[in-house]
């Protein structure tokens, strides 16, 4: 298993904790029927998990993550629910029997793992025949922003090197359908959706999450130890992010690929 590139620094968690089913898994909503048994793989701090559990209650939701430390955050996010249980797990080798779940979901996980095709095979194995395996991944090549103050355009090439050096694939969104077919699915529905940040509050939060993570999180450590950037390079990127956030006409969109696969 490759280690999770971003880690769980607060700059990273603040972006994950903004996520809901509505803004990050809308494509899955038609399938979230009361009573369904759901597995949420790589649940992180669990805000999407909470929305899944509210929609399928009284159906059971099992939420797993490779990092035990983040499951405490997820437990807080779902404390008002009684149909969620947690476990640590590696998506490449899930510790669940075959055909255990109606819906198996992963959000922003496959871009980080060593073998996304094996991950989807495992997600398929634990899904009931006729059930749904669903995934949504950002595509970093499809991120678009304006304006581009000095330093702002430099973060993406550094991030590509860091993520790929750590065994991940940042252009995951465009590859989801291909990975699913390689994993054995023949019934694959593909779609796309975006996040878009433009208000002063959104710009401030997004730039602190991304610019801040470049200097403070595990991304910074991987960048420097892997020889992909110096601390000065990362500070220059952070300054670019802050200048972008300060621009009244600042705009940032994040393209995502999505798949719904019938098991
Ligand atoms: C970008 S976060 C997404 C969290 C959550 N799904 C969300 O969108 O808010 C990716 C999560 O996947 C977890 N992860 C990374 N590799 C994993 C693996 N091999 N098996 C299970 N979880 C993994 C990380 O620990 C991290 O919490």
């Amino acid at each position: 298993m490759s280690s999770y590139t971003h880690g769980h620094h607060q700059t990273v968690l603040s972006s994950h904790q903004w996520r809901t089913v509505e803004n990050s898994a809308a494509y899955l909503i038609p399938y979230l029927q009361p009573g369904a048994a759901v597995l949420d793989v790589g649940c992180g701090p669990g805000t999407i998990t909470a929305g899944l559990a509210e929609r399928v209650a009284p159906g059971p939701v099992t939420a797993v993550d490779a990092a035990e430390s983040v499951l405490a955050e997820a437990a807080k996010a779902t404390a008002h629910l009684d149909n969620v249980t947690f476990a640590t797990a590696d998506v490449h080798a899930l510790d669940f029997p075959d055909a255990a779940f109606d819906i198996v979901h992963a959000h922003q996980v496959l871009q980080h793992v060593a073998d996304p095709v094996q991950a989807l095979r495992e997600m398929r194995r634990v899904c009931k025949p006729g059930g749904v395996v669903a995934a949504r991944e950002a595509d970093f090549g499809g991120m678009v922003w304006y304006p581009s103050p000095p330093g702002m355009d430099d973060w993406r090439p550094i991030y590509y090197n860091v993520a790929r050096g750590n065994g991940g694939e940042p252009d995951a969104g465009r590859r989801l359908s291909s990975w699913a077919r390689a994993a054995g699915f023949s019934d694959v529905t593909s779609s796309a959706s975006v996040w878009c940040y433009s208000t002063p509050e959104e710009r401030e939060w997004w730039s602190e999450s991304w610019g801040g993570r470049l200097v403070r999180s595990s991304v910074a450590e991987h960048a420097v130890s892997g020889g992909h950037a110096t601390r000065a390079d990362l500070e220059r990127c952070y300054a670019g992010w802050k200048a972008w956030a300060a621009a009244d006409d600042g705009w940032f969109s994040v393209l995502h690929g999505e798949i719904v696969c019938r098991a």
Side-chain angles (χ1 to χ4, degrees), residues 5 35 115 131 136 173 199 207 232 242:
T5 301
D115 188 344
R136 181 173 187 260
T199 68
S207 78
K242 285 196 278 198

Side-chain angles (χ1 to χ4, degrees), residues 145 148-158 214 233-241 243:
W145 56 88
S148 294
M152 180 63 184
D153 288 353
D154 298 344
W155 72 272
R156 182 160 54 188
I158 294 171
L214 288 168
D233 294 332
L234 298 175
E235 289 292 347
R236 193 177 62 252
C237 294
Y238 186 28
W241 272 98

Side-chain angles (χ1 to χ4, degrees), residues 1-8 12 15-17 19 24 40-49 64-67 70 89-92 94 105-109 111-114 195 213:
M1 168 173 50
S2 52
S3 70
Y4 175 44
T5 301
H6 297 242
H8 294 97
V12 178
S15 133
H16 297 176
Q17 285 166 330
R19 299 175 187 170
S24 300
D40 190 18
V41 176
C43 64
T47 53
I48 298 175
T49 314
V64 300
D65 201 286
V70 80
D90 177 5
V91 66
H92 298 101
L94 293 167
H105 165 258
H107 184 252
Q108 313 283 30
V109 178
Q111 65 189 278
H112 298 295
V113 306
W195 291 333
R213 125 178 22 185

Side-chain angles (χ1 to χ4, degrees), residues 92-138:
H92 298 101
L94 293 167
D95 192 15
F96 299 106
D98 296 355
F101 302 97
D102 299 298
I103 297 172
V104 182
H105 165 258
H107 184 252
Q108 313 283 30
V109 178
L110 299 178
Q111 65 189 278
H112 298 295
V113 306
D115 188 344
V117 173
Q118 171 59 18
L120 281 162
R121 266 191 221 112
E122 270 297 89
M123 292 169 71
R124 182 173 186 235
R125 179 185 67 74
V126 301
C127 190
K128 293 176 186 166
V132 161
V133 172
R136 181 173 187 260
E137 296 292 328

Side-chain angles (χ1 to χ4, degrees), residues 60-250:
V61 174
T62 306
V64 300
D65 201 286
E68 190 174 4
S69 59
V70 80
L71 294 180
E73 290 296 327
K76 282 188 221 161
T78 56
H80 59 296
L81 299 163
D82 62 5
N83 59 333
V84 187
T85 53
F86 296 100
T88 53
D90 177 5
V91 66
H92 298 101
L94 293 167
D95 192 15
F96 299 106
D98 296 355
F101 302 97
D102 299 298
I103 297 172
V104 182
H105 165 258
H107 184 252
Q108 313 283 30
V109 178
L110 299 178
Q111 65 189 278
H112 298 295
V113 306
D115 188 344
V117 173
Q118 171 59 18
L120 281 162
R121 266 191 221 112
E122 270 297 89
M123 292 169 71
R124 182 173 186 235
R125 179 185 67 74
V126 301
C127 190
K128 293 176 186 166
V132 161
V133 172
R136 181 173 187 260
E137 296 292 328
D139 193 292
F140 279 68
M143 291 188 187
V144 178
W145 56 88
Y146 184 86
S148 294
M152 180 63 184
D153 288 353
D154 298 344
W155 72 272
R156 182 160 54 188
I158 294 171
Y159 180 72
Y160 272 127
N161 286 333
V162 169
R164 288 182 176 142
N166 211 27
E169 176 45 67
D171 288 345
R174 72 189 70 180
R175 289 177 164 81
L176 281 177
S177 176
S178 168
W179 288 341
R181 286 162 209 285
F185 290 103
S186 54
D187 183 346
V188 180
T189 303
S190 298
S191 54
S193 60
V194 296
W195 291 333
C196 184
Y197 306 120
S198 63
T199 68
E201 296 76 20
E202 288 168 344
R203 296 196 310 270
E204 168 68 17
W205 159 75
W206 184 241
S207 78
E208 270 310 302
S209 177
W210 262 96
R213 125 178 22 185
L214 288 168
V215 292
R216 293 190 213 111
S217 76
S218 306
V219 175
E221 290 157 29
H222 287 300
V224 173
S225 66
H228 306 303
T230 64
R231 287 271 166 201
D233 294 332
L234 298 175
E235 289 292 347
R236 193 177 62 252
C237 294
Y238 186 28
W241 272 98
K242 285 196 278 198
W244 169 80
D248 289 341
D249 53 357

